[in-house]
């Protein structure tokens, strides 16, 4: 699990790098999303629309191959139709697509918030873990905000997404610092043991 920290120097170093990298990326994307909320909202919508069109194409190819071989690929045909229609709505009707994405983001924030809160209880002793709890609680609050204001302007989606990413990125950066502090504590604890070993060898 991403937030399960084993108190060994090797594991802490590995997770420290992951926390710093993921945190920096989230902060950059979050800042860009808040600076350009409309662009962020429609970029998400367009990307999802293209993805659905690709899914529809794959199902269409599978359905065509099924019909050609004499089968009755009902499931592939239905999925191809639904995927094409949904993808076309996202790409050709961006406003409708953004409204749909607001529902999806609300569900995402809720799940993400719950996972972060559970993760906090797994690493409570790690420095900076409280920020993970804050990020999780904020995610749940943002989820309810999205459900309540689902039909507001498209820019709101970009702003809310950016806020969540910035808080989440900040939490990961602080977790990286917490890992660094744990590494220093482990080294400090190892030094007296090494010194005792050297003293014993001299005797």
């Amino acid at each position: 699990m991403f937030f399960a920290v084993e108190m060994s120097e090797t594991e802490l170093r590995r997770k420290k790098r992951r926390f710093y990298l993921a945190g920096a990326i989230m902060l950059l994307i979050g800042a860009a999303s808040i600076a350009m909320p409309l662009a962020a909202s429609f970029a998400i919508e367009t990307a999802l629309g293209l993805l659905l069109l690709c899914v529809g194409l794959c199902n269409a190819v599978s359905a065509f191959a099924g019909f050609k071989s004499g089968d009755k690929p009902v499931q592939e045909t239905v999925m191809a139709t639904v995927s094409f229609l949904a993808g076309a709505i996202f790409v050709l009707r961006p406003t409708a697509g953004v409204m749909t994405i607001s529902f999806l983001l609300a569900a995402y924030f809720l799940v993400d918030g719950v996972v972060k809160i559970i993760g906090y209880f797994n690493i409570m002793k790690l420095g900076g873990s409280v920020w993970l709890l804050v990020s999780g609680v904020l995610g749940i609050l943002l989820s309810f905000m999205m459900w309540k204001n689902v039909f507001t302007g498209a820019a709101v989606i970009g702003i809310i997404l950016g806020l969540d990413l910035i808080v989440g990125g900040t939490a990961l950066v602080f977790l990286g610092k917490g890992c660094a502090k744990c590494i220093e504590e482990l080294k400090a604890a190892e030094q007296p043991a090494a010194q005792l070993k050297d003293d014993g060898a001299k005797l």
Side-chain angles (χ1 to χ4, degrees):
M1 185 177 179
F2 187 72
F3 295 118
V5 177
E6 298 176 8
M7 294 303 172
S8 66
E9 185 174 343
T10 302
E11 184 69 13
L12 285 170
R13 288 185 182 279
R14 184 174 67 86
K15 289 191 177 294
K16 182 185 72 171
R17 291 193 294 268
R18 291 174 63 186
F19 285 144
Y20 278 146
L21 178 61
I25 293 173
M26 289 175 68
L27 285 171
L28 288 174
I29 297 176
S33 182
I34 289 178
M36 300 178 292
L38 278 174
S41 298
F42 288 108
I44 296 171
E45 178 268 330
T46 302
L48 184 57
L50 293 175
L51 177 62
L52 286 171
L53 288 175
C54 290
V55 171
L57 179 61
C58 292
N59 281 304
V61 171
S62 177
F64 177 77
F67 281 118
K68 191 174 182 180
S69 62
D71 295 331
K72 296 181 179 180
V74 177
Q75 181 179 352
E76 288 86 350
T77 303
V78 172
M79 290 302 300
T81 304
V82 172
S83 298
F84 275 127
L85 288 175
I89 290 174
F90 278 121
V91 173
L92 300 177
R93 299 288 300 275
T95 303
V98 167
M99 295 308 174
T100 304
I101 284 180
S102 64
F103 283 107
L104 297 176
L105 282 179
Y108 163 76
F109 287 144
L110 180 61
V111 174
D112 185 58
V114 171
V115 170
K116 285 179 178 178
I117 291 174
I118 295 174
Y120 163 75
F121 288 105
N122 290 333
I123 58 169
M124 290 175 61
K125 296 181 179 180
L126 182 64
S129 59
V130 68
W131 281 96
L132 188 63
L133 177 62
V134 172
S135 179
V137 173
L138 178 64
I140 293 176
L141 291 176
L142 291 177
S143 174
F144 286 106
M145 289 174 61
M146 292 293 290
W147 281 109
K148 184 177 180 181
N149 300 314
V150 69
F151 294 110
T152 56
V156 174
I157 296 177
I159 293 173
I160 291 179
L161 177 62
L163 179 61
D164 180 72
L165 289 172
I166 286 178
V167 176
T170 301
L172 293 182
V173 170
F174 276 103
L175 286 175
K177 291 183 177 181
C179 289
K181 185 177 180 180
C182 286
I183 292 172
E184 293 177 359
E185 292 175 352
L186 286 175
K187 286 184 176 180
E190 291 173 356
Q191 287 178 353
Q195 185 64 39
L196 288 174
K197 185 176 180 180
D198 292 338
D199 293 341
K202 291 179 181 178
L203 294 175

